[in-house]
Every structure is written in C-alpha cells, then in structure tokens.
Amino acid sequence: MKCWLTLLVALALAAPVHAAQTLRYLALVDGGKQAGQQTVVEGDDGVTRVDFIFKDNGRGPELKEEYALNPDGTFRTYRVTGTSTFGAPVDERFELVDGVASWRSTSDSGEQKVEPGAQYSPLGGSPAAASVAIAALGARSDGKLPLIPGGTLSARKVAQATVHKGDESRQVQLLALTGIGFTPVFAWATDEPRPRLFAYIFPGFLQLIEDGWQGNADALEAMQKTAEGEALVALEQRLAHRLDGTTLIRGARVFDSERAVLGPRADVLLRDGRIVSVSGDGETDPGADHVIDADGRVLLPGLFDMHAHIDRWGGGLNLAAGVTSVRDMGNDNATLQQVMAQERAGTLLMPRIVAAGFLEGESEQSARNGFVVSDLAGAREAIDWYAQHGYPQIKVYNSFPKEILPQTVAYAHGKGLRVSGHVPVFLRAQDAVDAGYDEIQHINQLMLNFLVKPETDTRTLERFYLPARELADLDLDSRPVQDFIATLAQRRIVIDPTLATFEFLHKRDGQMSPIFAGIEDHLPPDVQRGGRAAEMDIPDDATGERYRASFDAMVEFVGRAYRAGVPLVAGTDEVPGFTLHHELALYVRAGLTPAQALQVATWNGAEYSEVLDRLGSIAPGKQADLVLVDGDPTTDIADIRRVATVIKGAVAYYPAEIHAELGIRPFADPVRVQSAEDGP
C-alpha cells in the first residue's frame, strides 16, 4: 500500500535540488500518465524554493521546501511544510550555525556538533532532496558524504546514457546511492548545467523526470532495470548456498502446521530441494552430502506473506525473515512477469511468488496497476489475460464499477480464478460477499461495512479516517456485527486483515512504529528516525486515544472472526519481513495462540494460495521451504524474529549474512550447512 511512499522518503534522505532558475519535474505513472510534479525555483536571495505534489490511488504528499546552501553545497538552512501521504502535517526545519547542527520535526529534534561538509537528511522532504546530496557528494574527494543526524552516503556509477530533447542532447549517469534505507536508491544524474538529479525511476511504478525530457523515461527505465538486474544477480550469488544432493537436518523440533503443534526432535532428510523423510531423532541414515545440526531448534515450514506488492529489492528482507512465499496483490504486469521469471530461474534473491491479477476501474483516484477497465468487456479481457498467464486469482480495487461486479466475479469463477479485493466505492463488504467474493483485503475494508453511507467515497483518505474516528464506538456484540461474522464463517470468506499496516492509524509523531518497536537498535539510523514519523493527522491526545481504541476494535474483530471459523491469512502490505512478524504478534494479541498464528502464516497461506499440495507443511514429497528458528515461537511469538537458517528448495540462506548486506544488526547467529566430509 505504501511502497511508493517508502521510496520517496528514501530519496528525501538523500537530500533539495539545484536548478538554473526554474526547474520542473513530472511524476509519471501507468505508461506516462501525470500524477504529480515538482517545481524548483532558485531565487536571487540565495534561497531555493520547491513545490512538490504527488497523488496516486487517492493519496499522496503535498510539500513546500525552502533551503539555502553552504559554500560546500550542503544545507545551511532547510525547511519543509505540508502534508504526508495520509494527511499528517509535515513541519521540519534545520540550520547549521558555527559548526552546530540543530533540527526539529513533528517527530524528533536534536543538536550536534558536526564537521564541515556534513549533509542534513530531511525526514519529510521531497524527491528534490537528491540533488543537493548528489552535488555535495561529487565534491568530496573521499566519495563519502556524512549525514546528519547519522549515517554516510556513497554513490557508485552503474550506467550512463545520452538523452535527447529535440535537437538538444545531454549525458546522464545512473548512480546507486547507498547508506540510506535497507537497499540502494537509484537516481539518474546530470552535470548540465550543474550536478543534480535528472530522473528518479522506480521500474513499473513511477518515473520522476525533468519536464521536456520525458520521452526518454522508458528507455532510461529499461537501462536501469538491466543495471539493477546485474546488481541483484551478484547479490544472490553472494548470499545463496547451494544444497546439491542430500541434506540432513539433524535434531530439529518440527512444527506440525496442519495441527498447530510442535513435535519432538526429529531428523528431516532433503534431496534436491524436496523433503524425503521426517523421522525420529537419530534414526536417519547419516550418509548425506550436507548436514545441518539443528540441536533442538524449531523447524517451521516457510512463511507466507499473503499481501505484498513486490519489487526486485524486497526479497532479501523477506527471506531473512523466513518468508519463502509471497502473494503479490497488485503490480505492473510486465514488471511482475519479469520478476517471476527471474525468481524461477534462480537469479534473484526472492521468495516464491503467487500472483493476484489487479483489476481497477477508471476514475481520478484509480490505482494505475494491472488492468484499468470501464466496462464488462474490458473486465473479461483482463481476466482472460490473467487466466492465460496462470494467475490463481484476481484482486478488485476501489474504483471498480459496482454495476458490473457480480458479472465480473462470475466470469472469473468460470475461468477457475478466485476473487478477492477491496470493496468497490459506494458498496459495503456485505455487498462484495453477496457478489461472490472469496476473500476481502484489509481490516478497514471489512469494518467500513458498519460505517459507510451511500455517499461515502472510499477512494479517498476517508477509508482510513472514518474507521479511525468511529470504530471506537462500534458494539462488536451487536446483531449487525455478529451476523456479518457468521456470514463470513458460513461462506468461508477468507480475510486478509493486514493489521500491522493499520497501526499507523493511531501512531503519533515521536512514537516508534509498532513494526519496529523493541528492535529499533537493529536498524539503520535513518530507518529508526523514519519509524518515528506519524502518517495520520492526529492533532491531540484525545484524538490519539480514540484512534487507538478504534484500532483495538479492529484487532478484537479479527480474533472474534477467527474463533467463529472465518478463514484467516497473514499479509502485510508494508515493509517486507519485519511487518509479517508483527502481524503474527497482533494475531496473538487478538487471542490466537502463537502456534495458531504460525499455522495461519504457513498452512493457511499455502491453502489459500492453492499450493498446499507442495508447500505449507513439513512432509515427505513437499518442496523444502524451511525455517530454522533459534528459539520457540510456538510459545513466544517474538522468537519468530530469531531466524538462524532459511532453506528455499535447494538453496540455503543465512539471515545474518543478508542483514549485514542491508545494514541491519542480525537477530541470530547462523546455523551453517556442513559438508558431510567435514564431520561434526
């Protein structure tokens, strides 16, 4: 849901633009549709002013920046105001006086003495922030730019191109910026007339490029995908440990995901990526090519994240968390097809992918992924494409025309596809169920069933603010709620609540994101700081407490639905890996046992992805997707973070190695694969 926001914030952490006099960028989505713009004006008074707006899927930031530079090109003063993606106020300022840097935002403040040449990293800035960093970094002889409050930015040139605008041409280069966030940020830069950002491209989603040069965007995107692909292949080769032949996992406590119970110590024998046998501890013939000494650690089936919008860089975070399968719930079709092909070929650090075909309707608030249609013929054509490409289900979105929903669902079912999604605007969740939905995404979409009026426009931010305001007063024992839960249970309607994502509804400025709370010291400094920024407009304590009570009602609803027999799957729609772990903790808070929460993330994930015949449990004949945990998450769900070793088919990964690549302090030491020839 917020992956694009993460990328814009990542750019902001790199730093505002240098222009000639006035410089304009266009934000393009869906093959060239303008979704925003950025205007940069360099004033005669030495102050540069930036206006930035980006709107997609009915939401997005609106920001105004002002800054002045030191002689070395770093910020002397900086100010940004406006609103964030979900409407939270943005108000941040920085100044450097006599070598002392001070800053204040809505979520943090600080002061520190700094050496000359350090660059402030705005917390809530616009993508224009990349240009100052690019220029300041280029001026440093050591190729490293110290960041305030912490961290170091560096860049590596990975490609170059000649771009054209009429008779004018220009040289641009693709930089991989590291030292911010978990993964590299790629930016196209130019030296003409001065070093600055030329374009920022998130393949398959967003192109931000200088106005007038947008005809080059697709070619630059193709070059960037190639360059990123080469870096990703090298990353996978560094981190993958091949398990050819047979592998013996000795002395593991095996989790029975079908029954949600932890068994005694056992030996698990693998051969070429499949499970051969599960036998009593010490009973297996030790003549294997490889041995993993589990020494009583818990062995789980690979986890499923049932709500992701994947990109090629998120696979490492997932695998390090024990997530070996993800269900993509909406993406650029061409990009997703490419990622799926690379994952199958084993050239990409990525979980297995289950694809849900995205189906949206035309409106000003449309999300521009998958297919956007205006009539039943278009919907059927899209469904035909998804069926021909092996998608097991479709996902309907906010702007889909309600008049053709029942016929669309019936047509998809006729093609053998499951149907899930948001609830189209001006309908309730009950209407979606009556139209034939098999599954509903997001807790807010479920709870709006009791709140919306015929005129409520759920394509806007009201789909977040209305539940936050009103659910605190909802009587979960009332007949409408109980009848709805009973209907979901009777019809076996799956719910994908993504509770962890919706904790942003009550998080206030200065509070650490619950996704990272308690583990923030494992994270890069900029990620820690970003985790303390609010996303909703919560003006006072009373509003914050009310929004928290509304979120508590969401959690309780999920627990009640589960106990009533409503099928539950674990999805995130947020930061890969970390969010799934917190999602499971919220299920335990809702009343599930830790073992039941793990069952939801394993057995249920495989069942409702329609891959239970080969994944989801540890049993002979199934694919060897396995997670070795240094702790017991069946009694303490927090132990799910302590992943020691992950096996996906015939490849082993050590989360500690992956985390080291991503700037994360590991949670557990690896249990390494030993060659049988090496002995114990």
Side-chain angles (χ1 to χ4, degrees):
M1 182 172 66
K2 292 173 283 187
C3 60
W4 64 271
L5 173 62
T6 303
L7 291 158
L8 291 180
V9 170
L11 270 178
L13 292 170
V17 109
H18 238 354
Q21 196 69 19
T22 297
L23 186 64
R24 186 167 181 258
Y25 293 82
L26 301 181
L28 308 174
V29 298
D30 192 34
K33 179 179 180 291
Q34 185 174 342
Q37 66 183 39
Q38 175 176 274
T39 304
V40 184
V41 180
E42 188 178 80
D44 294 335
D45 57 357
V47 176
T48 299
R49 296 169 175 84
V50 181
D51 283 312
F52 175 74
I53 182 172
F54 179 80
K55 297 293 181 183
D56 184 62
N57 187 16
R59 58 186 182 234
E62 298 185 33
L63 303 171
K64 291 184 180 294
E65 290 173 315
E66 293 186 359
Y67 65 86
L69 301 179
N70 295 306
D72 61 12
T74 59
F75 287 142
R76 176 168 54 83
T77 62
Y78 174 82
R79 179 79 188 274
V80 59
T81 58
T83 56
S84 70
T85 298
F86 292 92
V90 174
D91 190 351
E92 179 179 2
R93 64 183 67 204
F94 164 85
E95 65 176 354
L96 180 65
V97 179
D98 297 330
V100 177
S102 59
W103 65 92
R104 178 177 296 276
S105 72
T106 56
S107 60
D108 73 343
S109 62
E111 182 177 288
Q112 66 186 52
K113 189 171 181 59
V114 297
E115 295 297 322
Q119 170 68 1
Y120 178 65
S121 297
L123 180 62
S126 79
S131 286
V132 168
I134 288 171
L137 181 60
R140 292 187 61 94
S141 59
D142 60 359
K144 297 183 182 297
L145 181 66
L147 298 176
I148 306 168
T152 302
L153 184 70
S154 60
R156 178 172 60 91
K157 178 181 173 182
V158 294
Q160 64 181 21
T162 303
V163 293
H164 302 277
K165 181 177 69 172
D167 295 333
E168 185 180 354
S169 63
R170 181 184 293 176
Q171 295 294 315
V172 295
Q173 55 185 352
L174 180 63
L175 303 177
L177 301 168
T178 55
I180 50 177
F182 295 121
T183 58
V185 174
F186 290 85
W188 288 93
T190 178
D191 291 330
E192 302 176 39
R194 285 179 282 186
R196 66 164 185 263
L197 178 72
F198 175 75
Y200 174 70
I201 296 173
F202 177 37
F205 175 69
L206 171 67
Q207 299 170 336
L208 182 77
I209 189 167
E210 283 190 34
D211 190 12
W213 299 85
Q214 56 265 37
N216 300 275
D218 289 344
L220 292 180
E221 178 168 334
M223 291 184 65
Q224 181 172 325
K225 288 171 74 172
T226 299
E228 288 190 38
E230 293 171 353
L232 286 159
V233 168
L235 181 66
E236 203 278 338
Q237 289 174 344
R238 287 198 303 275
L239 297 173
H241 303 271
R242 310 294 167 184
L243 300 176
D244 297 325
T246 55
T247 300
L248 175 65
I249 304 175
R250 180 185 292 129
R253 290 181 291 165
V254 175
F255 179 65
D256 181 343
S257 58
E258 182 178 7
R259 297 171 181 81
V261 296
L262 184 63
R265 290 168 64 122
D267 295 340
V268 181
L269 184 64
L270 317 177
R271 180 181 293 118
D272 297 330
R274 289 196 173 271
I275 301 170
V276 175
S277 64
V278 181
S279 57
D281 187 20
E283 295 180 5
T284 303
D285 181 357
D289 299 301
H290 313 280
V291 176
I292 299 174
D293 188 4
D295 193 25
R297 293 176 177 84
V298 171
L299 188 67
L300 305 172
L303 304 177
F304 279 73
D305 182 342
M306 294 292 281
H307 197 124
H309 300 276
I310 63 169
D311 65 78
R312 294 191 294 174
W313 287 98
L317 287 173
N318 272 316
L319 288 170
V323 177
T324 58
S325 295
V326 296
R327 184 175 62 171
D328 188 278
M329 296 302 291
N331 218 314
D332 172 74
N333 287 331
T335 298
L336 183 58
Q337 289 291 306
Q338 180 186 33
V339 173
M340 292 171 68
Q342 291 173 330
E343 183 278 321
R344 288 191 296 266
T347 60
L348 192 61
L349 191 69
M350 182 66 60
R352 303 182 196 276
I353 301 168
V354 177
F358 195 83
L359 194 55
E360 171 69 304
E362 285 284 0
S363 81
E364 291 184 359
Q365 297 89 1
S366 295
R368 313 304 296 191
N369 291 322
F371 288 98
V372 181
V373 305
S374 56
D375 54 29
L376 183 58
R380 287 175 171 170
E381 183 178 350
I383 291 167
D384 287 342
W385 189 93
Y386 288 130
Q388 291 163 7
H389 286 78
Y391 287 51
Q393 74 176 71
I394 62 168
K395 176 189 175 184
V396 176
Y397 210 61
N398 298 326
S399 295
F400 191 82
K402 64 178 184 177
E403 297 80 7
I404 62 170
L405 185 62
Q407 300 98 313
T408 299
V409 173
Y411 188 79
H413 284 161
K415 292 288 184 177
L417 277 64
R418 299 176 70 251
V419 178
S420 72
H422 290 203
V423 177
V425 64
F426 307 126
L427 294 178
R428 298 177 305 129
Q430 182 66 57
D431 299 319
V433 171
D434 292 341
Y437 269 37
D438 302 292
E439 179 179 343
I440 295 176
Q441 266 69 53
H442 299 308
I443 188 63
N444 70 322
Q445 298 287 322
L446 289 159
M447 305 307 282
L448 283 166
N449 188 70
F450 314 109
L451 305 176
V452 296
K453 299 177 180 179
E455 67 274 12
T456 304
D457 190 344
T458 53
R459 296 169 298 185
T460 68
L461 291 180
E462 189 67 0
R463 68 182 183 270
F464 307 109
Y465 280 93
L466 179 58
R469 291 194 308 267
E470 303 298 334
L471 284 179
D473 296 329
L474 181 66
D475 181 2
L476 295 177
D477 290 316
S478 66
R479 178 55 63 86
V481 175
Q482 292 301 305
D483 286 350
F484 182 59
I485 290 176
T487 298
L488 295 175
Q490 179 185 6
R491 301 188 190 181
R492 303 292 294 169
I493 308 299
V494 179
I495 61 171
D496 166 27
T498 64
L499 281 173
T501 298
F502 281 86
E503 281 213 81
F504 78 87
L505 291 179
H506 68 77
K507 190 179 83 66
R508 303 193 64 188
D509 274 314
Q511 298 173 347
M512 176 56 67
S513 165
I515 293 170
F516 299 134
I519 62 166
E520 54 264 45
D521 60 341
H522 287 262
L523 308 177
D526 59 287
V527 177
Q528 293 184 42
R529 189 178 180 219
R532 293 187 174 90
E535 297 183 57
M536 295 282 281
D537 184 6
I538 305 177
D540 50 46
D541 291 342
T543 303
E545 288 305 310
R546 183 169 183 81
Y547 284 16
R548 180 181 292 276
S550 291
F551 179 74
D552 290 344
M554 295 178 175
V555 175
E556 185 176 349
F557 179 90
V558 170
R560 287 177 178 236
Y562 177 83
R563 290 187 290 276
V566 178
L568 175 65
V569 294
T572 60
D573 202 11
E574 245 286 1
V575 179
F578 291 103
T579 308
L580 185 69
H581 291 167
H582 187 56
E583 183 79 8
L584 299 185
L586 287 171
Y587 294 167
V588 173
R589 177 174 149 191
L592 281 70
T593 67
Q596 288 171 331
L598 292 169
Q599 181 185 50
V600 168
T602 53
W603 183 272
N604 286 17
E607 180 177 4
Y608 296 108
S609 296
E610 300 183 345
V611 294
L612 191 55
D613 60 327
R614 57 187 183 274
L615 293 169
S617 64
I618 302 174
K622 290 200 171 184
Q623 291 173 311
D625 285 14
L626 304 167
V627 181
L628 191 63
V629 181
D630 191 6
D632 185 0
T634 68
T635 58
D636 183 355
I637 196 63
D639 280 356
I640 192 61
R641 296 196 186 276
R642 295 167 57 187
V643 179
T645 305
V646 176
I647 297 174
K648 178 195 166 196
V651 181
Y653 299 97
Y654 304 132
E657 291 183 349
I658 297 175
H659 282 152
E661 288 273 354
L662 305 180
I664 300 166
R665 183 166 63 83
F667 293 86
D669 293 332
V671 178
R672 297 187 180 276
V673 179
Q674 303 294 323
S675 169
E677 298 176 355
D678 297 336

